[in-house]
């Protein structure tokens, strides 16, 4: 009995440990993006994000030279402004997507004319979305969760995110298959129409040439 109980305990611990070990591999490491922004230059980053997904980010822009400043603007494909900061130096932003869309994060440098050549500014951007964007420490404090319960909540959210991704890919596959089938049907109808036109044109040419040769009395 004792050996069986220990075996069941080890089995349960293994089932809990394996998802915990796989979690960092599935989530991946979150690394910040850094780049140089030239004076009066503009650089944008685009990313496709699913519907109802929390997006958070932190940015850090080096000090401008002279009177210049950097503007930060986040928009969707319809050019709706989700976040805007005229003099962006260091800060955070957060928004929740309403539709699956392509989102664009743009940094634009503004320097007055005649200010001379200014050095490039360093921009550091760290964006997170989905499970990565959630603050599980704050959730644990609010809901008074234990560390194991927090990890299970994280795994549950991650599993839901993966299921949603697969559901979206399946939907896209169905849409592409329907489009492909519709295109094939249209091509088939167009081919049949083209063959009918060619056969009709060939028949007309035969009768026309026959009447022409008869009029010239070349054939009976």
């Amino acid at each position: 009995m004792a050996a069986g109980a220990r075996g069941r305990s080890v089995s349960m611990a293994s089932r809990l440990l394996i998802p915990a070990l796989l979690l960092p591999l599935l989530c991946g490491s979150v690394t910040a993006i850094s780049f140089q922004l030239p004076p009066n230059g503009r650089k944008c980053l685009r990313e496709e994000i699913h519907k109802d997904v929390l997006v958070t980010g932190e940015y850090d822009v080096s000090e401008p030279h002279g009177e210049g400043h950097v503007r930060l603007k986040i928009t969707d494909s319809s050019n709706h402004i989700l976040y805007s900061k005229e003099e962006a130096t260091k800060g955070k932003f957060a928004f929740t997507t309403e539709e699956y869309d392509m989102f664009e994060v743009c940094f634009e440098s503004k320097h007055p004319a005649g200010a001379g050549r200014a050095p490039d500014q360093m921009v550091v951007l760290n964006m997170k979305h989905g499970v990565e964007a959630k603050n599980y420490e704050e959730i644990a404090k609010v809901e008074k969760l234990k560390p194991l319960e927090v990890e299970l909540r994280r795994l549950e959210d991650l599993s839901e995110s993966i299921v949603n991704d697969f559901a979206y890919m399946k939907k896209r596959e169905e849409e592409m298959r329907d489009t492909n089938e519709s295109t094939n049907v249209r091509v088939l109808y167009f081919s049949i129409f083209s063959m009918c036109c060619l056969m009709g044109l060939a028949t007309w040419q035969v009768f026309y040439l026959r009447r022409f040769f008869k009029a010239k009395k070349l054939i009976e």
Side-chain angles (χ1 to χ4, degrees):
M1 289 291 293
R6 284 196 298 271
R8 287 194 295 270
S9 300
V10 172
S11 178
M12 179 64 70
S14 300
R15 285 198 295 267
L16 292 175
L17 181 61
I18 291 174
L21 293 175
L22 290 177
L23 178 61
L25 298 177
L26 293 174
C27 289
S29 58
V30 181
T31 58
I33 300 174
S34 60
F35 54 89
Q36 297 287 340
L37 183 64
N40 294 318
R42 185 172 184 264
K43 289 191 176 182
C44 297
L45 303 172
R46 294 190 180 99
E47 185 172 2
E48 292 183 353
I49 304 177
H50 292 284
K51 180 181 178 181
D52 296 330
V53 174
L54 174 64
V55 180
T56 63
E58 299 181 16
Y59 59 89
D60 190 0
V61 183
S62 62
E63 290 292 330
H65 180 77
E67 299 179 357
H69 67 275
V70 173
R71 182 189 181 190
L72 168 62
K73 185 170 69 171
I74 303 176
T75 57
D76 57 15
S77 61
S78 300
N79 208 28
H80 295 148
I81 298 177
L82 304 175
Y83 179 85
S84 180
K85 184 74 173 179
E86 283 297 328
E87 296 184 1
T89 55
K90 186 176 183 180
K92 300 179 180 181
F93 58 85
F95 60 91
T96 302
T97 59
E98 296 181 356
E99 296 291 341
Y100 176 84
D101 205 348
M102 176 74 73
F103 296 89
E104 186 177 64
V105 182
C106 290
F107 291 87
E108 186 174 5
S109 175
K110 295 290 186 180
H111 282 265
R117 173 63 182 175
D120 296 349
Q121 292 180 256
M122 173 66 72
V123 178
V124 180
L125 176 64
N126 186 2
M127 282 187 64
K128 303 177 183 178
H129 56 80
V131 178
E132 299 171 351
K134 291 186 178 181
N135 189 345
Y136 287 95
E137 294 181 359
E138 189 66 26
I139 294 175
K141 291 179 181 179
V142 173
E143 301 184 12
K144 298 180 180 179
L145 300 176
K146 296 179 181 179
L148 182 58
E149 292 175 332
V150 174
E151 290 301 321
L152 291 176
R153 173 70 66 85
R154 193 196 306 269
L155 286 172
E156 181 182 357
D157 293 342
L158 179 61
S159 301
E160 183 180 356
S161 175
I162 294 174
V163 169
N164 291 337
D165 288 341
F166 276 111
Y168 174 76
M169 287 189 289
K170 182 178 180 182
K171 180 182 177 182
R172 289 288 297 171
E173 181 186 0
E174 292 175 353
E175 291 176 353
M176 293 177 66
R177 185 174 64 250
D178 293 341
T179 302
N180 189 27
E181 291 176 356
S182 176
T183 303
N184 290 338
V185 171
R186 293 180 182 178
V187 170
L188 176 62
Y189 288 158
F190 180 75
S191 301
I192 295 174
F193 174 75
S194 299
M195 291 178 62
C196 292
C197 290
L198 290 175
M199 291 177 63
L201 180 61
T203 303
W204 176 81
Q205 286 180 337
V206 169
F207 283 105
Y208 175 79
L209 292 175
R210 186 179 180 82
R211 288 197 302 268
F212 176 78
F213 290 141
K214 281 186 176 181
K216 296 295 184 178
K217 297 181 179 180
L218 298 176
I219 60 174
E220 293 296 331

